[in-house]
Amino acid sequence: MSNKIVVGYDSSDSTKATLDFAIGLAKSQGAAIVVAHVLEWSPYSFLTPDELEERHKRRGEELERAETAILAPIVKSLEKSGVKVTTALKYGGIADTLCDIVKAEGATQIVVGRTGSSGLSSRIFGSVAGTLAQISPVPVTIVP
């Protein structure tokens, strides 16, 4: 396995702190960072062929926007960090997709932020961080 750390990133203030933590960790371990952004996408829809075509087109546009507006600026801002930074941009359920990225990259750890959400939905469905702590194939660091 390579020495890579996958960082779940969504451009919120809390994930910026998570990225700062991950950069420090990568420097101390001589690791590379994979900044991973997951666009949630539900496969459970009954659509007509025309609707499927439109949905596929929108998906491509969303990926392009996320690459340009979220990932490219973060990579640029980390150029002088001394850490090798790559990105991963995928559609899917966030926790499962982050695990898929870990496996594909051969990463040794996941670093994610804790959103602090204590609303009804997180109590019913669980948080991404909580789910990752249960299903991840590698250690998970949850940054407060």
Side-chain angles (χ1 to χ4, degrees):
M1 247 188 214
S2 62
N3 197 6
K4 289 184 184 177
I5 300 168
V6 170
V7 182
Y9 187 79
D10 68 5
S11 75
S12 67
D13 289 339
S14 64
T15 57
K16 290 175 184 173
T18 301
L19 187 59
D20 290 342
F21 174 83
I23 290 295
L25 185 63
K27 285 180 179 180
S28 72
Q29 296 178 359
I33 294 284
V34 179
V35 179
H37 183 72
V38 179
L39 296 168
E40 287 195 275
W41 187 266
S42 172
Y44 305 108
S45 292
F46 298 101
L47 303 173
T48 67
D50 289 339
E51 290 170 327
L52 284 172
E53 185 177 327
E54 178 62 28
R55 188 177 192 198
H56 182 70
K57 179 182 172 190
R58 280 194 325 259
R59 181 178 177 185
E61 291 167 353
E62 288 176 1
L63 286 168
E64 188 176 314
R65 274 194 310 269
E67 180 65 40
T68 303
I70 296 173
L71 293 178
I74 235 6
V75 169
K76 184 164 180 57
S77 74
L78 296 174
E79 285 177 349
K80 295 180 182 177
S81 69
V83 173
K84 181 181 176 189
V85 178
T86 58
T87 63
L89 176 60
K90 304 280 183 195
Y91 265 103
I94 297 172
D96 290 330
T97 303
L98 285 174
C99 288
D100 292 343
I101 292 168
V102 162
K103 292 172 190 170
E105 293 285 342
T108 56
Q109 185 171 359
I110 300 175
V111 176
V112 294
R114 180 187 61 82
T115 62
S117 173
S118 61
L120 180 62
S121 64
S122 67
R123 280 185 253 147
I124 294 171
F125 301 113
S127 68
V128 170
T131 301
L132 278 171
Q134 294 175 26
I135 68 169
S136 175
V138 297
V140 177
T141 300
I142 301 170
V143 178

